[in-house]
């Protein structure tokens, strides 16, 4: 989860988020190199008194500054398109969970089990236990097995919401009358926090998401205790 004064991304928990972090670092390095070159040229123009009369008419220079930006854009576009296709790909999910957004809470339904559904409300600040996080803890967590592809079906019953968990690289809109899907898979166990990322009314800030990733055996025991 995020911590105070954090400047970067949260630690990656899923393969998709790892790819996004690598792409971010790749693009940031390109931007850094371009900015350094431009600042160097500007400082050079401001400090030197030498003038090359044929520079502005050089065909070689014009060719370079036309082709080089095109190559840089290709270096950015190809990894970006690859990640876009990876994020949209759904490969044989083992479990399906339907998520419905409400004003202002989430409801979850495990469609592979009979009558396994619940609502998830934020725990008020006055009822928090020591060590729990304000505005992020919920009364019913979403328990899922780790290292297992899980399909999330996301929709809404009233207004626009957005189901987002940054450490998993997930952000999918919940639209009334429309069913969106995304795939998630965690590479390690733990608690992962998210929030609604679409302004949905006065209590928009008070509908957090908590995903608890556990081993498959623990998940089966949890399901047995509820069904």
């Amino acid at each position: 989860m995020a911590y105070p004064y954090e400047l970067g991304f949260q630690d990656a928990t899923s393969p998709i988020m790892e790819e996004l972090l690598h792409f971010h670092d790749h693009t940031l390095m390109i931007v850094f190199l371009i900015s350094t070159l431009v600042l160097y040229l500007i400082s050079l123009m401001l400090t030197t008194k030498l003038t090359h009369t044929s520079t502005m008419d050089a065909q070689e220079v014009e060719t370079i500054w036309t082709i080089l930006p095109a190559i840089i854009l290709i270096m950015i576009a190809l990894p970006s398109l690859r990640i876009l296709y990876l994020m949209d790909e759904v490969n044989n999910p083992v479990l399906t969970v339907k998520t419905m957004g409400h004003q202002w809470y989430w409801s979850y339904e495990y469609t592979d089990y009979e009558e396994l559904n619940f609502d998830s409300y934020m725990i008020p600040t006055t009822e928090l236990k020591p060590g729990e996080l304000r505005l992020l803890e919920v009364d019913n967590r979403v328990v899922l097995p780790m290292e297992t592809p899980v399909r999330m079906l996301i929709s809404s019953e009233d207004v626009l919401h957005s189901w987002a968990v940054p450490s998993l690289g997930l952000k999918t809109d919940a639209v009334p009358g429309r069913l969106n899907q995304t795939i998630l898979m965690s590479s390690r166990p733990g608690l992962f926090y998210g929030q609604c990322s679409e302004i949905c009314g006065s209590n928009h800030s008070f509908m957090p998401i908590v995903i608890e990733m556990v081993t498959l055996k623990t998940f089966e025991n949890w399901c047995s205790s509820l069904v």
Side-chain angles (χ1 to χ4, degrees):
M1 60 167 291
Y3 56 86
Y5 304 107
E6 183 178 8
L7 298 178
F9 291 100
Q10 298 182 25
D11 293 337
T13 306
S14 66
I16 290 296
M17 190 58 189
E18 291 178 2
E19 293 285 343
L20 289 173
L21 288 179
H22 292 157
F23 176 68
H24 170 265
D25 296 340
H26 166 76
T27 308
L28 191 63
M29 186 56 64
I30 293 176
V31 172
F32 175 74
L33 293 175
I34 293 174
S35 302
T36 303
L37 178 62
V38 171
L39 288 174
Y40 171 73
L41 292 176
I42 291 175
S43 62
L44 204 63
M45 293 174 63
L46 294 176
T47 54
T48 183
K49 295 182 180 180
L50 299 176
T51 303
H52 197 291
T53 56
S54 62
T55 299
M56 301 304 294
D57 296 326
Q59 294 293 330
E60 294 83 2
V61 176
E62 292 185 4
T63 303
I64 291 173
W65 72 41
T66 301
I67 295 177
L68 192 59
I71 295 175
I72 293 173
L73 288 176
I74 292 173
M75 291 175 61
I76 296 175
L78 292 180
S80 175
L81 289 172
R82 172 177 171 272
I83 295 175
L84 281 175
Y85 278 101
L86 285 175
M87 294 176 67
D88 202 39
E89 190 173 1
V90 178
N91 284 327
N92 301 323
V94 176
L95 184 68
T96 300
V97 180
K98 186 170 71 174
T99 304
M100 297 295 292
H102 307 268
Q103 289 182 309
W104 287 272
Y105 65 96
W106 297 98
S107 61
Y108 300 94
E109 179 183 347
Y110 291 70
T111 58
D112 299 282
Y113 297 85
E114 292 185 4
E115 299 182 0
L116 180 50
N117 55 78
F118 52 84
D119 297 330
S120 181
Y121 290 86
M122 186 194 75
I123 299 177
T125 304
T126 55
E127 299 178 11
L128 289 175
K129 299 177 182 178
E132 292 185 336
L133 302 170
R134 178 177 173 270
L135 302 183
L136 287 177
E137 297 291 348
V138 296
D139 55 357
N140 291 309
R141 296 170 176 171
V142 183
V143 180
L144 296 173
M146 57 175 285
E147 297 180 338
T148 302
V150 178
R151 175 171 53 194
M152 302 296 298
L153 302 177
I154 301 167
S155 186
S156 171
E157 284 197 353
D158 36 51
V159 299
L160 289 175
H161 299 281
S162 185
W163 199 81
V165 184
S167 59
L168 290 170
L170 297 176
K171 185 178 185 298
T172 304
D173 288 341
V175 183
R178 177 173 178 174
L179 199 62
N180 293 327
Q181 78 169 357
T182 187
I183 195 81
L184 70 88
M185 184 174 67
S186 174
S187 55
R188 55 190 170 90
L191 288 177
F192 307 106
Y193 295 88
Q195 291 177 301
C196 177
S197 296
E198 188 76 44
I199 297 177
C200 56
S202 59
N203 290 336
H204 158 67
S205 302
F206 308 118
M207 46 186 307
I209 301 159
V210 182
I211 298 180
E212 183 176 356
M213 288 292 182
V214 297
T215 62
L216 183 59
K217 184 65 177 177
T218 305
F219 174 74
E220 291 175 348
N221 293 336
W222 176 80
C223 292
S224 301
S225 64
L226 294 179
V227 176

